Structures are given as C-alpha cells and as structure tokens.
Amino acid sequence: MSRVRKVVLAYSGGLDTSVILKWLQDTYGCEVVTFTADIGQGEELAPARAKAKKLGVKEIYIEDLKEEFARDFVFPMFRANAVYEGEYLLGTSIARPLIAKRQIEIARKTRADAVAHGATGKGNDQVRFELGYYALAPDIRVIAPWREWDLTSREKLMAYAKKHGIPVEMRKKGGSPYSMDANLLHISYEGRMLEDPAKEPEESMWRWTVSPERAPNKPEYVKLEFRHGDCVAVNGRKLTPAQVLTTLNRLGAKHGIGRLDLVENRYVGMKSRGCYETPGGTILLKAHRAMESITLDREVAHIKDELMPRYASLIYNGYWFSPERRLLQELIDASQATVNGWVRLKLYKGNVIVVGRGSDTDSLFDPTIATFEEDRGAYNQADAAGFIRLNALRMRIAAKLKSRR
Amino acid sequence: MSRVRKVVLAYSGGLDTSVILKWLQDTYGCEVVTFTADIGQGEELAPARAKAKKLGVKEIYIEDLKEEFARDFVFPMFRANAVYEGEYLLGTSIARPLIAKRQIEIARKTRADAVAHGATGKGNDQVRFELGYYALAPDIRVIAPWREWDLTSREKLMAYAKKHGIPVEMRKKGGSPYSMDANLLHISYEGRMLEDPAKEPEESMWRWTVSPERAPNKPEYVKLEFRHGDCVAVNGRKLTPAQVLTTLNRLGAKHGIGRLDLVENRYVGMKSRGCYETPGGTILLKAHRAMESITLDREVAHIKDELMPRYASLIYNGYWFSPERRLLQELIDASQATVNGWVRLKLYKGNVIVVGRGSDTDSLFDPTIATFEEDRGAYNQADAAGFIRLNALRMRIAAKLKSRR
Amino acid sequence: MSRVRKVVLAYSGGLDTSVILKWLQDTYGCEVVTFTADIGQGEELAPARAKAKKLGVKEIYIEDLKEEFARDFVFPMFRANAVYEGEYLLGTSIARPLIAKRQIEIARKTRADAVAHGATGKGNDQVRFELGYYALAPDIRVIAPWREWDLTSREKLMAYAKKHGIPVEMRKKGGSPYSMDANLLHISYEGRMLEDPAKEPEESMWRWTVSPERAPNKPEYVKLEFRHGDCVAVNGRKLTPAQVLTTLNRLGAKHGIGRLDLVENRYVGMKSRGCYETPGGTILLKAHRAMESITLDREVAHIKDELMPRYASLIYNGYWFSPERRLLQELIDASQATVNGWVRLKLYKGNVIVVGRGSDTDSLFDPTIATFEEDRGAYNQADAAGFIRLNALRMRIAAKLKSRR
Amino acid sequence: MSRVRKVVLAYSGGLDTSVILKWLQDTYGCEVVTFTADIGQGEELAPARAKAKKLGVKEIYIEDLKEEFARDFVFPMFRANAVYEGEYLLGTSIARPLIAKRQIEIARKTRADAVAHGATGKGNDQVRFELGYYALAPDIRVIAPWREWDLTSREKLMAYAKKHGIPVEMRKKGGSPYSMDANLLHISYEGRMLEDPAKEPEESMWRWTVSPERAPNKPEYVKLEFRHGDCVAVNGRKLTPAQVLTTLNRLGAKHGIGRLDLVENRYVGMKSRGCYETPGGTILLKAHRAMESITLDREVAHIKDELMPRYASLIYNGYWFSPERRLLQELIDASQATVNGWVRLKLYKGNVIVVGRGSDTDSLFDPTIATFEEDRGAYNQADAAGFIRLNALRMRIAAKLKSRR
C-alpha cells in the first residue's frame, strides 16, 4: 500500500484522540490535520487547539457545525419519525455522517490523502464514519487506529500517553466511567456497569436531565409550530433548527424527559446495552407525530410508518450518504408539504403529553364528518354497508368453500 | 330479501342497545336473542338480564369471556408489539372480533338467521363486527340498526325509548357525556368536547387512571416474567392472562400510566379524535419489547417491526379473522419461541421505565463480545475493516463513476 | 338528492354507452355531454360523433389523448416496473384515470354537475373511474347506470335500445363474444368462454398479436434507448412516448409477444379470469429492467422491487390520483435519474430476450472489479473474510447459546 | 490461531479443488476429508474418488443428495415464488447451504476441526458456504484458499498442479471457457466473454437447452399437480421432488425454455453478468403462480409478493440457515395449505403458457359471482357505490380542503 502523507483526524481533544494523533505521526510518519467540530456536545473546544498545537499540528480546523447538524441531518431525520428498534432516537448515528463529510472536505482542501477516526473496531461508529468517507471519496485511505494498533487495553493506552508526554491528568468529561458521546440531539452512555443488562443504571450516570422524581411538581405547557414538517417556532418565538433543539433540550432536561435504557442490535453483529438522554428530541418526535396526525393522509402516514424501520436502520448502520437513504428521503420530504400547524404539549416529570393540535391551512380533520351528532348529510351511513360487504366478499367466498368441504 | 326470524343481538343492557332490541322486535317482527359478554368492562351484567327479560327476550346469554379475551386475542396481539399509527394500543379493535365470534356461535346454537350490533354507520366498530360475522358465517343476515332506522338524533332515540317504556332514568356510565367503550385492555372516549382536537380534555373525563400529578410520589418496581412472548407472572406470582391484565391495570392506574390523546384515521375514511386509557397494556408493551431486545435475533426483530404497522392496521380495520391476519400471526408466534425471561420496570407518575432484563435460557446478549474491555479474542476487530469495505463497495463504484463524469 | 342538470358521459359510441346516453336523458331529464377519447383503442371515433348528435347531444368532445396517455400515465408506471400479481401489466387500469380526469375537466368547462360511465357494478373500472372523479372533484355527482337501472340482462338492454331507436345492427368490435377493452398499451378480454379458468382460450379470440406459432421464423433484433427511465428511441429513431408504444406494439404483435391468460383478484373482492395482449409493454418492461440492471444501485433497485407490488395494486385498484400513489411516484421518479443508456433485445416467437445493455454515462458495471481474472488490486479478496464473519456473528452467538442448552 | 488437524473439503474432483486439496495438505499439514455430492450436476463422481485416493485422502464421502436438495431446499423456495432482482431463479444460491450443512455434519462425524471450499473471494458463494458453516457450527475453523494463497492467476495454479502431479490434461467440463455451476435446478455461466454486458453470448455456450429456434415446431402440453404448494405429479404420474425437476428439465430443455442473461448485484458489492439455464424451474415457477392464482386469498398472495424480494435476497446472500429466513418460511409454508390442484401448460419454443388451472378442493374462483351474466343475487352491484364512496372519502376531504385554499 502506498505511503500516507497527510491525514485528517477527527479530533476531540480528549486523551484517546490525542494518543491517536501522536500514534499517527509516529506510525505513518505523516502530517496530521486535526478537525474538531462543535456539534453541541457542550465542551470547550479551545483546549483542543492548544493540545493539537503542542503535538505539532500545523493545520487545525475547529468549526461550529451546530446549525448544519440540526438543519441538514437532525431535522430531515425527524421528518421520518425515525426510531431504531422501537426506542432509540439515533442521536449518535446522525452525527457521524456530518463529521465524515467535513473530514473529506478538509482532506480535499488540505490535499490530505487519508482520514482517521477514534472509533473502536467493535462499534457502529467506525462503520458510520467510514461508509461516509468511502461514499464521498471512494479512493481515500482510511486509518482506524483501534483496529491496527496494539494498545488494546486502557493501561497500554495510558502508558503510551505518559511515554509521549500526552497529558492524562484530567480524565475526560469529569471522570465518568462510561463511554459517552454527546451532541445537540443527545448524550449516550455505554460500557462498565451497563454491560450487565439486568442492572439499573445509577442515578449519577445521567448528565443532562434531572430524574422525573426531581423534576418540577408543576407541569409546563409548550407550543411548537411546524412548517413542512420542521419545527420553526417554540412558544411563539421563531427559532433556527439548532435553537429549536437547544430550547427543547432545556425544557426536556428540566422536566426529566428523554431518558432511555435499552439493549440494541449493533450493525457489526452483537447486542449492546446503551443509555441515552434525548430530551429535546423526545419532545420533538411526539409533537411531529401529532402534527402529522391531522395533516397527513392516512395512507401516506401508513407508508411512512412501514418504511420508517428501514430508514432508521439505514441511519443506524451508517448509510446516510447511500443512494437508498437519499431515495427514501425524497419520499419523506415530499410527504411533509402539508405538515404545517401547531401542537401543544404538557411536560411533566418525564411525560410529554399532547393536549392539542391544529392547522389553519392543512387540517384534514373534518368535524362535520367525524361528529357523532347529526351531520346534515356530510356522510351517508348507508355507504358503510356496501363498503363492508365488498371488503368481506373474498372472506365470504372462502368461508362458503370451507363449509362445503 | 328473506324474512328475519331470529336475531342475536350484541346487548350491553344500556339505553342504546335496549332501544335496538325493541326496534328489532317491532321492525322485523322477529325473536331477539341477547348476548352480553363480560370482557372486563367493569359493569354489572345482572341488570342486562332483567332488562332483556322485561323486553320479552326468551334466550338470554350472559357470559364471562375475560380469559378467552386475554388469552386468544390480547396476548397474541401483544406478541406483535402492535400499535396503530404509532400510538393506539387497539383496545377496542381487539374486542370486537370476540363478540362477533360468540354471536355467530350463539346464532348457530339458537338457529338464528341474523345478527345485530349497536355500532353506528360512521365508525370502525361496525366494520369489525361485520367482517367477523361474514368471515365466520358467510350467509348470515346482518342488521345494523344505526344505518337503517330514522332515530338519527339523541332526542329521537329518547322519545322512542320513552314511548316504548324503556328505562332512561339513569344515564349510562354515570352520566358521562362521552361515547365510551371499556374492556380488560382499555377504556376509550370519543365525541362531545373531544371533537375539537385543539382542546385538552378535562381531567374529569378520565375514569381508570389517576393523573400523573396525583400518582404516588414514590416509584414502584415490578417484575414481569415471559414465556414464549406472553407474560405469565408478575412479581413472582404465576397468573392467567386475564389476571395479568387485571394486575397490570391496577398498577398502571395507580401510577397514572397509559393515558393517550390522539387523532386517528378511521378505516371508513375520516380522521377522528379519541382518548384512551390502557394502563396495563402500556406496561405490557414496554416490557415485551424489552424482553425481545435480548432474546430476539436482530433481523427477526426488524422483520417484525416492518410488518407490525400492517398487522396493527388489519386489527384496527377489523380483519382479525382474515387469512392475512392469521398468516402474519403464524410468523409472529413462531418468532416468540425464544422470548423467555424477565423484565424489571419502574413505574412512576405516568412513566414506565425499563431498569433490567434477563433470560437464563435465551439471552443473546453476550457480554464477552459486547465489552469495551479486553475480550480475549472473542471478536476480531480487524474483521470490521473488510466488513465496511465490502459494504461500501457499491457506493465507491458509484462515486468513482460520478467523479469521472 | 339534488336534481342533475348536466352530465358528462364517457362515451365510446358503442351500444352500451348509447343506451346509457338515452337512459340518462330519460331518467334524469338532464342534458348529456359526451366525451370520447382516442387513447389508441384503434377504433374510428367519427361514428361516435354522429351517434351522439342523433341522440340530441349538443356538446360533443372527441379528443386524441394518445400522447398524454403514454407520457403521463403509461411511462411513469413503467418506471416502476409495475406488474399486478406477478403477471398483469395494468393496461386497462392505467387508462381509466386519464378518462376520469378529462371528464372532470370537461364538467368544469361545461358547468356540468355530474359525470357518468359505462362500467358495471362488479368490476374494477367503476372504482377507477369514480375514485378519480372524487379525488379531483369531491362534490361531483356520480352516476353509474349499471348499478342503478333494471337493464340487468343483455336482452333487456337490447329491448331498450330497440324501443328507443338506438342502432344495434352491427355488434361492437366485429362481433366478439368477449368483453373487451383496448388502448395504446393493451387489449383485454373477459367473460363468456373465459369464465371457466380450466379452459384454454380459442385462438380466434386474440386480436392484436399473431400466435408464437405463426410468428416469423427469423428473430428480429431491436435496440431501445432510455433517458431517465423512459424509452426515447427505438433502433436509433427518436420517438415520442406514444410513438414508442405504437412501434413496440407493431414489433411485438408481429413476433407473437405479450399474450397473457390469468386469474386475477379484483378490488371488489372476487377472482376473475382475464386474457390480455400487451405486445409493446412486454418488450418495454423487459428492456427497462435490463436498463436498470446496470444503472441502478443495488439497494435502490431492491427498494423499488419491494414497493412495486403495492404501487401496482394502487393503480389496479384505481388510486392513481391518491396522495399515496403520488408519493411513491416521487420515489420512483427520483430513482430514474441515472437510468440512461441502451438495451438490445432479440424478439422471436413470443420471446423477448435481452442480449446486451450499456450506458456511456451511468453504468455501474465495473469489469475491473467483477472480473475473474487478475484485477490488479481493485478488490481485496481478504476483505471478504471480515465481511462474512461480522455478518455471521449474530448467528454464531445464537448457535453457541443453543449448543450450551 | 490454533493448528488445524483435519479439514472437510467440498471437493468436486476438478482441477481447482484438487489443487486446493494438495495445498491444504501442504500448507496446514493437516488431514483432508473430501466430500463430493451429487446434486444433479450431471457429472461422473467416480473420478473424484480415484483422484482423492491418489492424493492420499483416507476419508472420502461421495453422496447422492438429489432428493434432499429438491425436497428440502428447492421446493420450499419455490413455494415463495422466489426470484432475485426480477429474473434470477437462484439455482446456485440454493445449493450452497446444503453442501455447507453436509460438510458440517461430516466434520462432526470425522472429528474434523475445519472446513474448506473452492469459492473465490469475489463471489457470493464463499458467503453462502461460510454463513452456513458458522450458523451450524459457530466455532468451526473456515479455510478459503482463494482468499489466502498466492495462486492468483490461472498460470500459477497450473504451475502448482504440474509441480505436484495433479492431472490437468482434460480441462473440466469439456473445455468450456466459462466459470460454470450446475445442479438439478440449473446451470450457470460467468466470466470471459460474458464480462462485457453489451455482448450477446455465443450460442455454443448454452449446454442444457436447445435454442428456441431449434426447439420443436409443435407445442407440447403438460399438466402439473400440486399439493400444499409442491408439484407432486406431472402428466398424471406421481413423482418425487427430484423426479419432478428431472422431468421438467427434460421438457424445458427440449423446448428451449429457461435461458436467462442478466446483470445482477452481488452481495459483496459489485455488479456481475451471469447467464443461466433453468428449464424445469422456469416451468415450475409459472405453474406454481397459476396454481396460487385460484387457491390463494388475495391479501395472502399480496403479502407473499411483497415479502418475496426480501426472501429471495436472503437466499441469494447466503442466509438460508438464518433465523429470519426460517421465520419467513413459516409464513410461506403456512400459506400453502390450500395450494392444491392442477395447472395445464403449453410449452413452445421458449414459451411457457398457462392454458388452464383448476382445484377440486380449494378453488376460490366463483363463477357465479365473477360472471358478467345475470348472477341471481350472488353479488349486489349497489354495494359498490358505498364501497367506492368510503374508499374515496379521505381524498374528497383533502380535495375540498385544497379547493378552499
């Protein structure tokens, strides 16, 4: 294989990717470009710059991608009501393609011939990064240090760091024993105590939300407005997509909303246990479904529901940039033209309760037809007899045949 | 059309079906057989007998079908995690086929040539009753008084009742202004105030559950055991299917669990707003999904998820006895062979939180492979590189083609 | 119901619709507007005008819709490879919505308040017409004489015609005993001898194609060119959509291509036996699939294949103008952007054989990778080991668990 | 990795697997057990025994698996009407799992710790073999010589054979330049001239069927009888599954039936061009569909049609022993209970034409309802009005909303 000259590393500034940075320099004898993105993980990015500089990096990219993340990734996904395996809101899955895309763009700009990431060889994230890389730059060289090096335990990693003067003093993220990932949509926890799916996670693990028990005793009402399936205002204030997520995260976190504890099926073949906090996303999903309930045609909604698990799997498995995800997105986006209006929710100790929905322009709820009262001929009840009889016909023919046998 | 001699009426003992009883006698000049089932609606059935007698009925069937309902209808449906339009647990839909089936059986026994029900011509229930009738007795005569008579307003109905000496003194179900339906799985509300989907229902409407606000301040833990996908024990006590529902209903109701307010798409073509309380079912669904999460193969689970919306629609639309529902049930039941083990839940003010799950016999969760720690070769991380590269191949070929253009 | 003042009738000029014309005038005392479309059925339309005039019709619409039919209905459908129940190319189904649409447009123009058609109450066509009417003009009055009148046998119909001076001398379509329907895409046969599905149709029934036995003994090669999934040229000659169908019909008919004899499931609930000739469509379908085989991504093609049966059912059942058909069309059309190139076929005695396909711009067939010969590193065979091992992982975990039990 | 002691090789007796045999002995220093199966490929198996003996093999398994292949693999697959990508009848795909299964059984019997096959690292067959191995024996060691050795060109392979005294004099299968695979269901061709998808294959390539041009000028009629979806008799003679395939292959080959030339999408990610002859299978598929057309309920048939592409992909991709294929098979097999009766076909120069079908016990074709003639009240045409109006209701509501805007 040809020599690597320059590699763009997805760099968090933490211990692991700092070790990777050094290891890349040493092992490949190549220049490293670091790329650090603010996608709402809630961490200072300045230290990443300092550390990268200290490790001799000349090209350092630090970017605020929060709006792009919310607008071009999170929002399109929510149009589909995407949920993986009935529960998981895909918070990590949806962030990886954006990182991959920017790494490739930076590789083009800096004339790098390789990209690298800090995901392990066991998880889904490596797949999500690399499918993104390959889809956008088919000839790019991909380096996945965790699959290559011999730093197979935390001890060896620490020893390597020490030996090469990489600061390990402050454990990342305040010393959590969990493997965590955070962005504007969610924070996730894996590993350690969680590896026993029979055990309840300790309360101290959760970082974003209060527990339902400690949430306010008074419910709070919130109104979301939608345009073409996207939330565009909260409580009457127009907001950008990232602002929507920030606002809903704050509300959800306050009311103990969006915690999740599950066992999921990884694309690489094993089951794993993860815990997630998706406060804003949980509110948004509930509201979006309610918005669709009065603005979408029944069969359109049902087609969306039937395609959703597949769409969610595509995102979970890392196929954001695949032609099939793009194809399904065409259908999903087309369905949202009429998803306009507002939804009112009540937030209370972990609950997101829909209490009202309306649309001045696109409501298909027709009270004159639905009513149990006299409807003045809007609906002819006699029609139902023929409707039922013809829908029953094939079953009647079969039943007659059976009775003759 | 030939003369009707004897009709089996699904008789609740309430005002509406009492009027129907009389109307059938008068209009068709036929004998009426009443059939009243206890499916857990929580009402006294003795008055139904007295009323029927008073109206001259000679053949009165009053039956406790709670176990059959739970075992042969509710439980098979929960194996599929069936939810209509993302929210509705199908509480009314699943009860109608059982009533229809017993009506047909009674019609055979009493040599009746017709069946009748009290559902209106606008709703789903008429379809559910009648598709059941036709599937089981293709030549049965079906009488749907609401589609035939001229008692098109409540006033006319009352007048008719008064004129024929049918007691109207006590309004059914304690004077609720809502159209309600209850059984072991749920209670539903439609009509009146609910016909404006923008408005929050009044607290006084809800009959089974306390509000989350008034639920206990202390969480309660509960353990469900499953065998072949069915819950067979709660907190260590073996229970029959109906007992499971009763027990979980009590727990759910106490903790404010299972309220739902939605706009749904009826099979007959319009949107309608309904409110539901499904306390036990809400707990059961969450637990069943968690049970499956460690005992079902990934692809099996995904096939179930993709077929679920269609299966749920079949039940919602009244096709319980159709060949296609039976066919899907074969697949669903076959999938449950390994769904054995236990799930532990925390109930708190409207929340059902999974806090643990395990299976001595069928857990596919393999901590030696999933672990982030050293796994002693259980999983070879290098395998992931090939996995990713071949999964990316078609996208790389396409990207290369694109770049050449 | 309110009085009908003016009705637009889908008028073929044949006996049945002439009787309907008269019957409408007499029964509803209303003015009748006739609409006769040339959609390639291959019949003279001039007599329709004469007849309508003779029956007192003042507004007579006779239109050539062949291009619109091919371009806006047939071609979009072929992009989906739509086939109903594995066999039927939907020749009748796809024509009805166009007729319905023009009837509604003419009704608007002529200020008519009703539309009428000549389809019976047993078939699919009534549904296709009327769903089209209602989707486009929700308040239109629909008159379906076959469901209303008492002319329930051919004898009564003839008697009515005689009595009202409607010419019955020449039996429609040269005296065929079959119920037939023809357009640019196909001709169909139903009824009479065909009502016994055990019997082979007589050779004399078929009107468009020669039998394979009488087709030329020499094969003929033909080359189709595609652009965005549509055939735009045959044997190097640029053609309009209608010309494409005409050309392929001629070729197919000559070579005994496109006969079909099947039992299908009607939307109204019964099975029926139909025979079809779709010479051009059969060629086009085969060619389109071959075109896609080298220009579509695998997963895109598979999604199309999985959605196709539902899309075909929508068309068969008359839902062309439904939101769900339009939604699926968005996906299908989006998939066709790369379906550009050519396909070469050999036509011989009923066979359509693909013998070559190519695309200068969009071929995803990469011989350097597919080759069994030395590929100079385009594909790393070692990747397959990891690919297989991770795809097998979940099955291995399950097998180990099983072996431990 | 631990040492290999004994390996079970899928051995054809041809040059490639003979080289593999020797290479395994040399490279792994292990004992080799050969397994050669007669699955209807139409080759002498005696030479395989002689060759293996000559190469020092002590445990030689040669088995006739034709009946098992037809009964437990081909027939279940045909119940699903499985076709990959609209065209390919899966002839190679369905044979691999059987070989894999027997290899594992022999490995258990002979206490071998490894299995090996002769499939290359580029194709689907390696996946099919190995997914089978791993699903049945999760800890088995798998050796895929083509992915390991350095015999990367035919020249090197020949040199190796010569050096080790492996006879290369007679080129396998009469010197065909194509890569071929044959069994009771089909014969396939890949490679060489076929690597240009624009070119028509030479007539001399095809080995089983005559060309349609050279097929008899007289059609032949054949009658197939089905029981539970399986063909059990041809022209009145009861036959075993393997005999059915043999008989239909003879008929199909004689009449030029079952040739196919296509570009398909391999599971490992690239497109490849293959040619196939499946004479008997082509007849069987057409007949099975026709049998289902009168014995299956509409919705059951449609569910099967929608699931078929996925089922076919599972087999194509090698997931025969996966839980999801088994799950779908439950549904498919359950659907076949009523698929009993007969189909009559006309075979003529490449055409398989259905000319009649019937079922004494399970025909759902009811001529009294389907008839265009007077049906004496079997079907009430007026029912259709209500059927249509309620099916149109949601579209009417939407159209009214639109018109108000």
Side-chain angles (χ1 to χ4, degrees), chain B residues 267-270 297 299-300 302-304 306-307 310 323-324 327-328 330-331 334-335 390 393-394 397, chain D residues 267-270 297 299-300 302-304 306-307 310 323-324 327-328 330-331 334-335 390 393-394 397:
Chain B
Y267 188 32
V268 290
M270 78 284 276
D297 171 79
E299 296 302 310
V300 166
H302 291 193
I303 286 177
K304 281 191 70 205
E306 290 185 45
L307 290 175
R310 180 195 287 246
E324 64 272 25
L327 189 74
L328 292 177
E330 295 270 352
L331 180 148
S335 76
L390 291 205
L393 184 55
R394 63 191 169 88
I397 293 172
Chain D
Y267 189 32
V268 290
M270 79 282 277
D297 171 78
E299 295 303 309
V300 166
H302 291 193
I303 287 177
K304 282 190 69 206
E306 290 185 45
L307 290 175
R310 179 196 288 247
E324 64 272 26
L327 190 74
L328 292 177
E330 294 271 353
L331 181 149
S335 75
L390 291 205
L393 184 55
R394 63 189 168 89
I397 293 171

Side-chain angles (χ1 to χ4, degrees), chain C residues 147-174:
Chain C
R147 297 200 304 254
E148 297 184 18
W149 66 24
D150 56 358
L151 308 178
T152 52
S153 70
R154 196 128 283 268
E155 287 68 38
K156 291 185 192 166
L157 193 80
M158 298 297 236
Y160 187 96
K162 209 164 188 181
K163 184 173 153 197
H164 293 88
I166 296 160
V168 299
E169 56 280 12
M170 12 150 244
R171 299 216 37 193
K172 196 177 57 171
K173 288 163 186 151

Side-chain angles (χ1 to χ4, degrees), chain B residues 297-299 310 361-364 366 369 379 383-384 386-387 389-391 393-394 397-398 401 405, chain C residues 297-299 310 361-364 366 369 379-380 383-384 386-387 389-391 393-394 397-398 401 405:
Chain B
D297 171 79
R298 179 184 72 200
E299 296 302 310
R310 180 195 287 246
T361 54
D362 294 279
S363 175
L364 295 167
D366 186 337
I369 286 185
Y379 177 96
D383 285 344
F387 177 76
R389 272 200 291 265
L390 291 205
N391 278 316
L393 184 55
R394 63 191 169 88
I397 293 172
L401 172 69
R405 276 191 303 215
Chain C
D297 171 78
R298 179 185 71 199
E299 296 303 310
R310 180 195 288 246
T361 54
D362 293 280
S363 176
L364 296 167
D366 186 336
I369 285 183
Y379 178 95
N380 182 359
D383 285 344
F387 177 75
R389 272 199 293 265
L390 291 204
N391 278 316
L393 185 56
R394 64 191 168 88
I397 293 171
L401 172 69
R405 274 192 305 213

Side-chain angles (χ1 to χ4, degrees), chain A residues 297 303 306 310 323 327 331, chain C residues 297 303 306 310 323 327 331:
Chain A
D297 171 78
I303 286 177
E306 291 185 42
R310 179 194 288 247
L327 189 74
L331 179 149
Chain C
D297 171 78
I303 286 177
E306 292 185 43
R310 180 195 288 246
L327 189 74
L331 180 149

